[in-house]
Structures are given as C-alpha cells and as structure tokens.
Amino acid sequence: MIQKFRFGTPIKTDATVAELPVIPVTAAKDAAALTKFFRLSLENGFSLSLAMDDADAVYGLGEANRGINKRGYKYVSCCTDDPNHTEDKVSLYGAHNFIMLIGQESFGLFLDYPADICFDIGYTKQNELTISTDGTDLDVYLITAEESATAAPSSRPAGNFAESAALSIVRQFRTLIGHSYIPPRWAFGYIQSRWGYMDEKDIRRVAKGYRDNHLPLDSISMDIDYMEDYKDFTVHPERFPDLAALSAEMKEQGLHFVPIIDAGVKIEPGYDVYEDGVKNNYFCKRADGTDFVAGVWPGKTHFPDFLNADARKWFGDLYKRLIDAGIEGFWNDMNEPAIFYSEEGMEDAITKASELMKSKDNPDLNTFWGMRDVFNISNDHADYKRFYHNMDGNKIRHDKVHNLYGFNMTRAAAESFDTICPNKRLLLFSRSSYIGMHRFGGIWTGDNQSWWSHLLLNIKMMPSLNMCGFLYSGADLGGFGSHTTRDLLLRWLAFGIFTPLMRNHAALGTREQECYQFEGLDDFREILKLRYRLIPYLYSEFVKAARNDALLFTPLAFVFPQDKTACEVEDQLLLGESLMLAPVYQPNVSGRTVYLPEDMLFVKFTSATEYSMEPMDAGWHYIGCALNEVALFLRKGHLLPLCPPCECTKQLDYTSFELIGEAGKGISYELYTDDGYTKNMEQEGKYVTLTL
C-alpha cells in the first residue's frame, strides 16, 4: 500500500509515473499514517524522526556510501563531483531518496524533494533515524508491505522467490516510479575505456590489442579527447578526421563507440551550439538575466537549462550529429553539474586572499590554512545559488532543484532518441542521477579509485541501486583513479562479469589497464569469455527484472529474512533467480569464507569452459578461489544456461546451451531472448523453456 502526503507546494520532478490520491498536510494530525511511525516537525524546515529498535535494518539510498544496511552513519542527497569515495563522504554522484526500515514493523519512504536532504540513520543518536530538509515543500510516499508478504522465502519450495516485506515494498516503489530502461544487448558486452585515447591510432591500437589476443570486447568508450577543444557534439578534425568511417571500420570488427557528452557548453563565438543556446535563451541564467558562466573542461562554459522543456529538446536533438556518424551509445558526464569555478567564486576567493595577505607580512599557520580554504572553490555550494532555471515559465534557483540536473540531461537525450531512431535501443548511461532517471538510462558509480575497498563498495552498492530502479549499472572496473594492480583487476573483473554495465575505465596519468597490458593473458581471456557465456542468462534476468519491477541483485536478507546470519551478510548477493555470488575482494588471499542460507551447488570455473561442481549444505564454508578462477553458487532447483564462448555479442549463439544444475531432476529455466536492438520487445521477444 502506498500513501502520498503533500507538504506545501512541491516542485514537479517527474520522479514517479503512478497517479495516487494526495493527502495534503498542514499539521501533524493530517498525516496520521505517517505519524504512526514518525515524529513530524515543520518548524525550521521539515523533519521526520523515529526511534529504531536494535534489530531494525535500514536499506536503500541507491548510490550511497558504506554498506547495504545503512545504519550507523548520515547521508546527504546532493549530487556531488567527488572521486575520493572514502568512508567519511556523505554525498556521491546520485541522489536517491528512498529508504526502507525492516523490523517488527516495516515500511518504505520516498521523499520527492530535489534539493539537499539529510538522512541521519543512527549517526547523531545510535538508535534514532532523522530525515531533514531546509524546505517544507515536498511529497512524501509511505509504502507498507502487502499482507501476503509475511512468510519467509526460505520456507517456500525451491524455485520460488516469495515476497518478504522488503521485496514487497521494493516492488511497490518500483511500480510507483516506472519500468527501468533496457539497453541493447550489445551493451552487456565488455567495454574498454580510458581518458587518454587521443586519436584514431589509439582506438585502433586498443581494438587490435583485444582482437589479436582474442580477448572479448564489444565497445570502446571515447572520453573528452575526441572532441575539438572539449566542445560538445564536435569531433577533433585532426585526431579523428572521419569518425563515420572509423565507426564503420570498428563495426566490421563487432565494436561500438560510446562517446562522452559533458554538461557544459563552451563559450566561443562561431561555435553553433553556443550561438544557438544564447540566441534562444537555452542556458541557465544569473539573477540579472545574463547567462551564468562556469569553468569546466573547455574553460568558460554555459550550462544548458535541462529543466526547460524547450532546451531539453534542443540539446537532445544535437545527439543526432553523432548518431549520423554511426554512434549507438553515449555516456553523459559532469552533470551534477560539476563546476571547477564560477566567475563570482573566483572573484570572492581573490578578494578574501588579498585581505588575508594584507594583514600578514609573515603568514602564520591560520593564515596559511585560510588561504588554502578560500581557493577551495570547485563544486562550491555557493555557486548553486548563483544561477536559475526556467521551469514551465517559473524562475527557480538551482540549489532548489540541484539533484534534477543530471536526470534531465539524460532525459533530454533519451526523449530525442525516440524521434531520431524510434525503434532502436541505444546505450545511454549517466554519472549524476535522481529517482526517475532509471526510465531513461543507466548509471555508472562515478570516478572511483583503484582500491580494494572500492571493489567491496561496488558489490554492496549494486542491490541498493536496483532498489531505486537502476538496473543497468556498474563501476569502473579496476578503478578510475590511482594505479591498478593485476590481482585487483582480475578480482574486479571476476565480479564485473555479473554486472550489466561491464566497463574498464581509467584516468589519464594512471597505469594503462587494458587487459592485454598485463602478463598472463590467459587469465583475463578466460574470465572475459565466461562473461559472454553468461550474457543470455544476465540479459534474460535483466529484462524480467525490468518488466516486473524486481531486483536483479538481491541482498540475502530480502530472501531469507528469518535467518539472522543471512541478514547480516553483505558481501554475498543473489543474482537473478538462480545464482548467489560471493566475490573475493581482498588482496593476497586464495579464497574466502561463505555463508549458505540453504543447500547450494558450488560451481568453480577454472576457465570459461571448465568447471567443477560440489553440493554444499547450508552453513559456513571456506572456498578456494585462485586469481584466475570464478566461483558462484547455484540455488537448489535452478539452472544456469551458458552459451558457447565468443568474442563479441553479435557472435552469441542462442541455439546451443550448456545447462548447469542437477541433471535428471526435470528442472527448467525460462530464457528470455529478442533481437537485441528493437524497442518493440513485446512482439520481438520470446521465452524459451530449457530443461535439464
């Protein structure tokens, strides 16, 4: 059951698609169902708080730091460009205001509020949950589990995912916000990316490195280097003199290009995108009506006003320039929006620095720290108050709607794709996002680091992203910043072969981390080949989850809620209906301890085609898993279909499957398949029953 409470006059975010009756709230008595759980305060902003029992777990928040259970820290929904995802960070690139409390009484809560919102989940007081905002104009959705969601799934027959309270709440929330985006099937292939592929020679070198070494690959991402002076929708005339011809050349090898599109438009007279944006008032404005100026990669830029429907259409239609050159996928970046500096911020910093230096001939420590702080102007929240949007004719300051910016950039592209190529699925994913953007594209988890802790963070973040609708997601495998190592990349790939978005991406100046750069290529080759054997299962389970508003990655706690140990295990995940994953995420180990909440079949791949199987009883086990091996667990009464190995998705063979499971038991699996490209999936798609 979902109830919608309205406080004040909320900004329309388009986060939800379902129409629900509105309960207007002017005082606490108007929200009896809500105040059954929370103490409500409308003084000095909006606040909900409750006392938590020791055993209560809190889930959700999508792209957020720390564990699957979010207890013990605070989180601020504010789309933030910060690549150093250390444990103290309270904001990352996405803003996903959905949480669930699972305990004696369970419920979900979605706060549709596009400005900063703080979730204090046992940080200030260990057993208190407090949600607070500065403003009081928002919609609050309270979601309670359906009455049928009472039995523990672990007590049901094998093969069924009965609904726990958590699964019931997630399904209802996902129905509220709409079906998830489904990319083309080639987007499930391996993607190689790097900031620093400078020209056609680099692209050909990467393609050759993979193809000559028979390392499977479907896409090469193109970072900002392909553009002319970092200008959106341009191609550098010397580095990439004929992008269409290069794209066609790569497609003959089964490869796609996936170029970056940044949010900022360079200020340059004669650049038609800039000229058109100024002429038609498509850029965000200062309070005085002039176009806001921010420094990003090209230098001084204007920000397209993606909250203006006309500006969205204008910007989205510009993607056609690259689509006409054969491009079938894009990644939107810098769309929090990231701001290196603003003119106003730079002027303020210089003024403050001058004042500090005037009074100090011999600067002391306090003056030094003061100087450092005044020039810490990148992504300064003060800048969010310096520009405005035109939303349906209403002038709205950016900080009030900050978290909608990246969402609407991706929406702009997706809506134009419907016109540019109406029956063709394109790949589209974004760095910044808000609830609702999952209908238009996927996300990657931003500029992470080559740290073992970020591999673990990737594992824990996947189900939380799924809860908020983001099924097509993944991390920069191997890490974006810092220098990766062979063992870290192999372990990350061994988990990444199960994530829908499987992209190896690295920053300029870091160690080159294409798979062929390392010794022992066989190890990388076999792991990548196994990914392609898994694609039919992954794609099938992805489409089922998207259509049924379900999870692809599921915490053990959601399926085995009466098993206390399972509820506390966060480094193992269920994947689709058949698999449980227990990735190795520590250096210098040859295996790990795994908890099985039920009897399972342990399957260990020593190559893409060779594996061992061992039945294991429920309980704790130590499993060996070398750097060149991949371990997974098959649930009782389930099958895993594997297609023959191949080197790109266009070679996938759906006519011959190897079925892993208990032979002779008559176990079947419903495999979904389609042509992989068209949007007309209801007519093109079909289910095939595979039986062992």
Side-chain angles (χ1 to χ4, degrees), residues 101-138:
L101 186 144
I102 304 299
Q104 288 298 314
E105 289 194 273
S106 301
F107 60 87
L109 206 66
F110 170 48
L111 297 96
D112 195 0
Y113 183 76
D116 289 8
I117 179 168
C118 181
F119 295 83
D120 185 330
I121 310 175
Y123 172 75
T124 301
K125 294 183 178 179
Q126 185 171 338
N127 284 333
E128 185 165 286
L129 164 63
T130 300
I131 305 167
S132 58
T133 69
D134 288 339
T136 56
D137 297 303
L138 69 161

Side-chain angles (χ1 to χ4, degrees), residues 37-204:
F37 300 105
F38 289 96
R39 299 184 301 277
L40 169 65
S41 173
L42 298 175
E43 297 179 5
N44 301 315
F46 170 91
S47 174
L48 292 174
S49 59
L50 61 77
M52 296 184 290
D53 292 335
D54 289 341
D56 288 346
V58 179
Y59 301 105
L61 295 181
E63 187 180 6
N65 216 338
R66 298 188 170 234
I68 299 175
N69 183 349
K70 293 297 189 286
R71 283 194 70 158
Y73 207 58
K74 66 178 178 181
Y75 309 84
V76 178
S77 283
C78 178
C79 297
T80 302
D81 175 21
D82 182 350
N84 295 310
H85 307 163
T86 48
E87 285 190 30
D88 60 322
K89 297 301 170 67
V90 298
S91 302
L92 299 180
Y93 295 102
H96 306 140
N97 306 335
F98 168 69
I99 63 167
M100 286 190 299
L101 186 144
I102 304 299
Q104 288 298 314
E105 289 194 273
S106 301
F107 60 87
L109 206 66
F110 170 48
L111 297 96
D112 195 0
Y113 183 76
D116 289 8
I117 179 168
C118 181
F119 295 83
D120 185 330
I121 310 175
Y123 172 75
T124 301
K125 294 183 178 179
Q126 185 171 338
N127 284 333
E128 185 165 286
L129 164 63
T130 300
I131 305 167
S132 58
T133 69
D134 288 339
T136 56
D137 297 303
L138 69 161
D139 285 330
V140 177
Y141 296 81
L142 176 66
I143 310 168
T144 52
E146 295 173 341
E147 291 184 5
S148 59
T150 54
S154 53
S155 68
R156 299 294 185 91
N160 293 332
F161 257 16
E163 277 200 330
S164 62
L167 289 174
S168 172
I169 292 166
V170 167
R171 179 180 50 76
Q172 291 180 75
F173 174 61
R174 292 275 304 282
T175 302
L176 172 70
I177 61 177
H179 292 328
S180 298
Y181 157 81
I182 300 176
R185 190 165 56 209
W186 64 261
F188 287 77
Y190 182 59
I191 304 174
Q192 181 59 58
S193 181
R194 183 176 178 84
W195 171 20
Y197 294 156
M198 302 301 295
D199 53 27
E200 287 187 346
K201 292 179 181 178
D202 283 344
I203 297 296
R204 291 191 175 100

